[in-house]
Amino acid sequence: QVQLVESGGSLVQAGGSLRLSCEASGFYFPIYDMSWIRRAPGKGFEWISGIRSGGGSLSYSDSVKGRFTISRDDDKNTLYLQMDNLKVEDTAVYYCTRGRSSTTYYDTDVDQGTQVTVSS
């Protein structure tokens, strides 16, 4: 059974930083491309970042490029998202999924997520 448990969300002031983690189990993590997606209040899901299996080929949406950094530790079966220079519009529930792009992420992986709230 696939399990993805996100953590690290919090309330932070604009300009601050957070690091999100996603612990994976129930599948062989190292061979899967992975993504972070988010859902802001009253809006649909937005893909924001992807990483290939093995850690290469990072990709970002224009909304987070230059501020967020995706990474992974295959020994720990964990995906990370370093978020710097946070903006109020980054307020959302953040989720990790398998798949690497806006068209290939596994929407069936969406579960609890972690709440990020950015105050002005």
Side-chain angles (χ1 to χ4, degrees):
Q1 180 182 352
V2 173
Q3 275 202 310
L4 296 163
V5 180
E6 301 90 348
S7 63
S10 181
L11 171 64
V12 63
Q13 285 193 323
S17 297
L18 283 175
R19 189 194 196 200
L20 305 184
S21 298
C22 167
E23 294 187 33
S25 61
F27 65 100
Y28 191 57
F29 179 78
I31 67 170
Y32 278 88
D33 300 341
M34 298 294 295
S35 281
W36 285 99
I37 66 173
R38 67 185 181 186
R39 188 170 188 175
K43 297 187 177 181
F45 289 104
E46 177 191 14
W47 174 89
I48 57 172
S49 185
I51 184 169
R52 281 202 185 277
S53 61
S57 191
L58 313 182
S59 53
Y60 301 94
S61 66
D62 288 343
S63 60
V64 306
K65 193 175 297 181
R67 299 187 299 119
F68 291 9
T69 304
I70 190 172
S71 62
R72 63 191 296 160
D73 185 335
D74 289 345
D75 291 333
K76 296 182 178 180
N77 286 353
T78 302
L79 182 72
Y80 301 101
L81 186 68
Q82 177 66 39
M83 306 189 296
D84 298 317
N85 190 22
L86 282 160
K87 303 178 180 181
V88 172
E89 53 263 42
D90 293 319
T91 295
V93 180
Y94 285 72
Y95 307 87
C96 62
T97 73
R98 290 172 293 173
R100 183 180 162 267
S101 74
S102 60
T103 56
T104 61
Y105 74 83
Y106 290 37
D107 55 6
T108 52
D109 285 349
V110 175
D111 195 3
Q112 299 293 322
T114 187
Q115 176 72 49
V116 172
T117 303
V118 185
S119 64
S120 59

